[in-house]
Amino acid sequence: VNRITLLTDFGTLDGYVAAMKGVLASQAPESMVEDVTHDVAQGGIRKGGQVLARYWRRYPEGTVHLVVVDPGVGTDRRGLAGEADGRFLVAPDNGVLSRVLESAGTWRLVALEPSEILPAPESPTFHGRDLFAPAAARLASGLPLESLGPSVENPVFLPEPAPRSRGGTTEGEVVEVDRFGNLATNLPPDQVRRTGSVRVENLEVPLRTTYGEAEEGELLSLVDSRGRVEVAVRNGSAARRLAAREGTRVWVGRKGV
Amino acid sequence: VNRITLLTDFGTLDGYVAAMKGVLASQAPESMVEDVTHDVAQGGIRKGGQVLARYWRRYPEGTVHLVVVDPGVGTDRRGLAGEADGRFLVAPDNGVLSRVLESAGTWRLVALEPSEILPAPESPTFHGRDLFAPAAARLASGLPLESLGPSVENPVFLPEPAPRSRGGTTEGEVVEVDRFGNLATNLPPDQVRRTGSVRVENLEVPLRTTYGEAEEGELLSLVDSRGRVEVAVRNGSAARRLAAREGTRVWVGRKGV
Amino acid sequence: VNRITLLTDFGTLDGYVAAMKGVLASQAPESMVEDVTHDVAQGGIRKGGQVLARYWRRYPEGTVHLVVVDPGVGTDRRGLAGEADGRFLVAPDNGVLSRVLESAGTWRLVALEPSEILPAPESPTFHGRDLFAPAAARLASGLPLESLGPSVENPVFLPEPAPRSRGGTTEGEVVEVDRFGNLATNLPPDQVRRTGSVRVENLEVPLRTTYGEAEEGELLSLVDSRGRVEVAVRNGSAARRLAAREGTRVWVGRKGV
């Protein structure tokens, strides 16, 4: 059974997502469609890419991941289809695939081009329905990637901010805040394992293996389910406790540097 | 593969939708169920109908569209099942199907009636689970529409507000606001194409083909993905910019009339 | 066709749910996954259990209900898999299954244990993905319950608060508030049927059969779709009208006791 997953910033209320699902049902009738989320903030390309990183390789090979966070609809940004480690991807060329491309063993991409195989969009403002969903349906139906357009070697790439080392200290930052108020950082896990703690503001936050090693309401750091150093509060919100958000600075190593 | 789509105003949190899905799984086990949205405002019949208009015909023939926005549950309002352009519909008789009926090539409706085929509801307060889901399951399983009840010729119909023309000016209004703050209006697209702009408050908003022709943050009007004249802000919210909502007046044609 | 339903407190935005769905798709590829809700408040064990009560037996036998409301992840709380009246269940051992266990004809439970069949979790903080989803996939694929771990006779059980009778009066409380502001209580339906009303604050709220018997905006009580005594406002919110919430006292019987 073929699966198509769907991540957008459309919300569900207006029926835009359902219009896309209708196209998928019409053009890839044997596929199952699974919702990831439609609650990404409007134009939230970075967050969309981080979410995609959590699930794209958990699905089996052959799955089609359709990602429509597309603030550039109606401009000349390209539409992409691709294959990475056996999973297919369809998305606008705006960097939302960056986390996939940097972690994939192998990938190849094509630029979606109207043709006998892929009809021209009916509306210039709804490529989710008229361009990306038809492309996803074609991949789910087994059409070869190359039939959708010419090869692309230089997709838009949005790097994650890199940590900076000086002396014995590394300065990093919060790169993602989740619903629970957990703070994912870009600090190097190995260095944190050596020092055994992370510094946020004036606090040394001890490294634990899991939430259960901290007291209820206590701050801890750990290596999260994606392998990143995370700052958390057991059964609480580190974001609220520390008034932290994306971009908040964190450190590992000698203090006062 | 048969699909049943599901639109309600139940929210997902309380499990009412899952109770309906359980009935569908029990009574139409071969069907796939796809969520449209459960976030329609309570009793939002007009909005429910507008959302339905976006997707009902995008799905293939044979799809069953189940729509439960039902402020009249527990009164004597009828329950309906129907067929329009090859798609099936199940909904309360409160006008939520109006946008479908006015755009369908052909339609027929029946009033749901308990019978040997359709059991009487278990609870008088949850027809979504006890009446509408069983009816949808029967249609998805191939039972004929006519087996569910007697024919209905006069369903409740909620017209969209009509624009009014006087002299060379047409006054219309905002008929739907979406998540992005785009304002769909009832202005005649042909007239807007002739004048090249829409008037909102004291602003002349130029007609474009797509968002990309406007500057970031600029007001524009265009013909949207459903063929309606829309007022939008590129990568912004026209609703917020203009303090506009459903019912806000808009004009096309000579000023000052 | 096998179905797996999914109830969590993860929200959809961060992609945790999608990571679980990816595991299900990889490990039980023939199954359909259906979302119940991901909007349970964080750690909302009691509410999660009430929601589960609404749908678990509406699904056909063989369905796997996966429930991840797990504030104790990373402690030594057990993971459970079970079978109740022919439906399968997978959840942490924290009481979230209480409403199922008290209403099931028969049930049996096992404690999830890493083995040749069930691999050890990859991350100690994401048992939804690494422990519970794999267990659900195995049950959906037909592996016997007993292969997942040793039998459990004493799961954590959270009783609903009991009503208290004194003289001719019974004092109960609101045990659940739904999206519509309906107040489900623990009052005995038979006693309410005898007296014909429920007391909230100084108001006698008459018992009706359904919403339609009350005027628009009028308070009423009725027996709800789960068989509980409910206080409601027709097309309005009883919670708002009465400033009531979980724990608010209600009475049936002689006044002034």
Side-chain angles (χ1 to χ4, degrees):
Chain A
V1 195
N2 235 327
R3 276 172 167 84
I4 303 173
T5 76
L6 194 40
L7 182 160
T8 76
D9 65 349
F10 290 164
T12 61
L13 176 53
D14 297 307
Y16 296 119
V17 171
M20 293 176 65
K21 289 181 179 176
V23 169
L24 296 172
S26 293
Q27 299 183 9
E30 299 304 318
S31 297
M32 288 190 205
V33 176
E34 296 196 354
D35 293 299
V36 171
T37 190
H38 306 292
D39 293 344
V40 172
Q42 293 164 28
I45 294 171
R46 181 175 296 280
K47 176 71 181 180
Q50 291 171 328
V51 175
L52 178 61
R54 281 220 175 72
Y55 65 87
W56 74 280
R57 209 156 30 190
R58 300 282 166 184
Y59 274 85
E61 298 195 8
T63 300
V64 180
H65 296 303
L66 176 48
V67 180
V68 187
V69 179
D70 190 20
V73 68
T75 67
D76 58 2
R77 68 93 191 86
R78 296 181 293 196
L80 297 178
E83 181 266 311
D85 293 353
R87 286 78 180 173
F88 295 105
L89 300 152
V90 177
D93 184 19
N94 59 20
V96 74
L97 298 182
S98 303
R99 300 287 79 71
V100 169
L101 300 183
E102 75 190 2
S103 65
T106 63
W107 57 264
R108 55 203 174 106
L109 292 170
V110 303
L112 297 176
E113 253 185 25
S115 68
E116 280 162 43
I117 287 173
L118 204 60
E122 193 178 307
S123 156
T125 60
F126 195 3
H127 283 185
R129 181 191 70 190
D130 294 344
L131 179 69
F132 297 117
R138 276 152 187 73
L139 292 171
S141 304
L143 279 187
L145 180 62
E146 287 68 24
S147 70
L148 299 179
S151 182
V152 166
E153 306 295 336
N154 59 344
V156 173
F157 186 81
L158 294 178
E160 285 274 38
R164 279 160 300 181
S165 290
R166 221 180 341 166
T169 295
T170 299
E171 181 186 82
E173 62 187 90
V174 173
V175 292
E176 189 182 3
V177 180
D178 75 9
R179 177 193 204 200
F180 298 98
N182 297 322
L183 309 170
T185 75
N186 60 355
L187 290 174
D190 286 347
Q191 194 179 352
V192 176
R193 280 194 194 98
R194 277 198 302 277
T195 67
S197 70
V198 167
R199 193 146 27 89
V200 191
E201 306 209 336
N202 289 319
L203 300 164
E204 284 291 333
V205 182
L207 181 68
R208 310 289 192 193
T209 307
T210 184
Y211 304 121
E213 293 169 15
E215 301 294 315
E216 193 79 15
E218 196 186 359
L219 270 168
L220 70 152
S221 62
L222 46 70
V223 177
D224 76 6
S225 59
R226 271 189 64 209
R228 300 182 302 188
V229 173
E230 173 185 305
V231 176
V233 165
R234 177 161 173 211
N235 291 335
S237 165
R240 210 172 312 129
R241 173 80 63 86
L242 300 167
R245 49 184 188 177
E246 232 184 273
T248 294
R249 301 294 160 182
V250 293
W251 296 269
V252 55
R254 274 208 312 275
K255 189 158 173 180
V257 177
Chain B
V1 194
N2 233 327
R3 276 173 167 85
I4 303 173
T5 76
L6 194 40
L7 181 160
T8 76
D9 64 350
F10 290 164
T12 62
L13 176 53
D14 297 305
Y16 296 118
V17 171
M20 293 176 64
K21 289 181 179 176
V23 169
L24 296 171
S26 293
Q27 300 184 8
E30 299 304 318
S31 296
M32 288 189 204
V33 176
E34 297 195 353
D35 292 299
V36 171
T37 189
H38 305 292
D39 293 342
V40 172
Q42 292 164 27
I45 294 171
R46 180 175 297 280
K47 176 70 181 181
Q50 291 171 328
V51 174
L52 177 61
R54 280 218 175 75
Y55 65 86
W56 75 280
R57 208 155 31 190
R58 299 283 166 185
Y59 274 86
E61 298 195 7
T63 300
V64 180
H65 296 303
L66 175 49
V67 180
V68 186
V69 179
D70 190 20
V73 68
T75 67
D76 57 2
R77 67 95 190 84
R78 296 180 293 196
L80 297 177
E83 182 267 309
D85 292 354
R87 286 79 179 171
F88 294 105
L89 300 152
V90 176
D93 184 19
N94 59 19
V96 75
L97 298 182
S98 303
R99 302 286 79 71
V100 169
L101 301 183
E102 73 190 4
S103 65
T106 62
W107 57 264
R108 54 203 175 106
L109 292 171
V110 304
L112 297 176
E113 252 184 26
S115 68
E116 280 161 46
I117 287 174
L118 203 60
E122 193 177 308
S123 156
T125 61
F126 195 3
H127 284 185
R129 181 191 70 189
D130 294 343
L131 179 68
F132 296 118
R138 277 152 185 74
L139 292 171
S141 304
L143 279 187
L145 180 62
E146 287 67 25
S147 71
L148 298 179
S151 182
V152 165
E153 305 295 336
N154 59 343
V156 172
F157 186 80
L158 294 176
E160 286 274 38
R164 279 159 299 180
S165 290
R166 221 179 342 163
T169 294
T170 299
E171 181 185 82
E173 63 187 88
V174 173
V175 292
E176 189 181 2
V177 181
D178 74 9
R179 178 193 205 201
F180 299 98
N182 298 323
L183 309 169
T185 75
N186 60 355
L187 290 173
D190 285 346
Q191 194 180 353
V192 175
R193 280 194 194 99
R194 276 197 302 277
T195 68
S197 70
V198 167
R199 193 145 28 89
V200 190
E201 306 208 337
N202 287 320
L203 301 164
E204 284 290 334
V205 181
L207 181 70
R208 310 291 191 192
T209 306
T210 183
Y211 304 121
E213 292 170 15
E215 301 294 315
E216 194 79 13
E218 196 186 359
L219 270 169
L220 70 153
S221 61
L222 46 70
V223 177
D224 75 8
S225 59
R226 271 189 64 208
R228 299 182 302 188
V229 173
E230 174 185 303
V231 175
V233 165
R234 177 161 174 210
N235 291 335
S237 166
R240 209 172 312 130
R241 172 79 63 86
L242 300 167
R245 48 183 187 179
E246 231 184 275
T248 295
R249 301 295 160 179
V250 292
W251 295 268
V252 54
R254 274 209 311 275
K255 189 158 175 182
V257 177
Chain C
V1 194
N2 234 327
R3 277 174 166 86
I4 302 172
T5 76
L6 193 40
L7 182 160
T8 76
D9 64 349
F10 290 164
T12 61
L13 176 54
D14 297 306
Y16 295 119
V17 171
M20 294 177 63
K21 289 182 179 175
V23 170
L24 295 172
S26 293
Q27 301 184 8
E30 300 303 318
S31 296
M32 288 190 205
V33 176
E34 297 196 353
D35 293 299
V36 170
T37 190
H38 305 292
D39 291 344
V40 171
Q42 291 165 28
I45 296 171
R46 181 175 296 281
K47 176 71 179 180
Q50 291 172 328
V51 174
L52 178 60
R54 281 219 174 74
Y55 64 87
W56 75 279
R57 208 156 30 191
R58 300 283 166 185
Y59 274 85
E61 297 195 8
T63 301
V64 180
H65 296 304
L66 175 48
V67 180
V68 187
V69 179
D70 190 20
V73 69
T75 68
D76 57 2
R77 69 94 189 85
R78 297 181 291 196
L80 297 177
E83 180 267 311
D85 293 354
R87 285 80 179 173
F88 294 105
L89 301 152
V90 176
D93 185 20
N94 60 18
V96 74
L97 298 182
S98 303
R99 302 287 78 71
V100 168
L101 301 183
E102 74 189 4
S103 66
T106 63
W107 58 263
R108 55 203 174 106
L109 292 170
V110 304
L112 297 176
E113 252 184 24
S115 69
E116 280 162 45
I117 287 172
L118 204 60
E122 191 179 314
S123 156
T125 60
F126 195 3
H127 283 185
R129 181 191 70 189
D130 293 344
L131 179 68
F132 296 117
R138 278 152 185 72
L139 291 172
S141 304
L143 279 187
L145 180 62
E146 286 68 24
S147 71
L148 299 179
S151 182
V152 165
E153 305 295 335
N154 60 343
V156 173
F157 186 80
L158 294 177
E160 285 273 38
R164 280 160 298 181
S165 290
R166 222 179 341 166
T169 295
T170 298
E171 182 186 81
E173 63 188 89
V174 173
V175 293
E176 190 181 2
V177 181
D178 74 10
R179 176 192 206 202
F180 298 98
N182 298 322
L183 309 169
T185 75
N186 60 354
L187 290 174
D190 285 347
Q191 194 180 353
V192 175
R193 280 195 193 98
R194 278 197 301 277
T195 66
S197 70
V198 167
R199 193 146 27 91
V200 191
E201 306 208 336
N202 288 319
L203 300 164
E204 284 290 335
V205 181
L207 181 69
R208 310 290 192 193
T209 306
T210 184
Y211 304 120
E213 293 170 14
E215 302 293 315
E216 194 78 13
E218 196 186 358
L219 270 169
L220 70 152
S221 61
L222 46 70
V223 177
D224 75 7
S225 59
R226 272 190 63 210
R228 299 183 302 188
V229 173
E230 174 185 305
V231 176
V233 166
R234 177 162 173 209
N235 291 334
S237 166
R240 208 171 313 129
R241 173 79 63 85
L242 300 167
R245 50 183 187 178
E246 231 183 275
T248 295
R249 301 293 160 182
V250 293
W251 296 270
V252 55
R254 274 208 312 275
K255 190 158 175 181
V257 177

